[in-house]
């Protein structure tokens, strides 16, 4: 699947489309978790996080689910001059 940040703004993947692709490996669900952390980047709008949150909260309704978001900032090269 093409990365969301590489798609034109009007063609980004939707939560519904992601839900069609995401699944859980039931062999890894015992014991059932009480806390879940979803790690996601912040390149776009959080669509992947929302889709995974939906999947996990439906399967584990009693679990506390949190998001951990990773972002980066690129600083301009100090050796370059604005022209």
């Amino acid at each position: 699947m093409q990365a969301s940040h590489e798609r034109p703004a009007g063609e980004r993947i939707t939560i519904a489309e992601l839900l069609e692709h995401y699944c859980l490996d039931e062999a890894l669900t015992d014991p059932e978790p009480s806390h879940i952390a979803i790690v996601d980047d912040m390149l776009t709008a959080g669509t992947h996080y929302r889709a995974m949150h939906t999947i996990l909260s439906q399967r584990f309704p009693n679990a506390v689910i949190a998001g951990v978001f990773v972002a980066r900032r690129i600083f301009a090269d100090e050796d370059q001059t604005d022209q």
Side-chain angles (χ1 to χ4, degrees):
M1 156 180 314
Q2 184 181 14
S4 293
H5 67 276
E6 293 176 353
R7 295 174 180 228
E11 297 178 24
R12 297 229 166 114
I13 195 161
T14 66
I15 293 172
E17 290 171 314
L18 288 171
L19 290 173
E20 293 177 15
H21 294 281
Y22 286 171
C23 64
L24 295 176
D25 183 346
E26 287 296 326
L28 301 174
T29 62
D30 187 27
E32 200 166 297
S34 59
H35 292 78
I36 300 170
I38 301 170
V39 179
D40 196 6
D41 60 43
M42 291 187 62
L43 293 176
T44 56
T47 307
H48 290 265
Y49 169 79
R50 290 299 324 150
M52 187 48 58
H53 188 283
T54 298
I55 295 286
L56 292 169
S57 63
Q58 287 175 353
R59 177 60 180 82
F60 306 110
N62 298 318
V64 175
I65 301 175
V68 177
F69 301 95
V70 179
R72 70 178 181 159
R73 180 175 171 195
I74 299 174
F75 293 94
D77 186 349
E78 292 180 15
D79 294 334
Q80 292 179 349
T81 58
D82 292 332
Q83 296 180 10

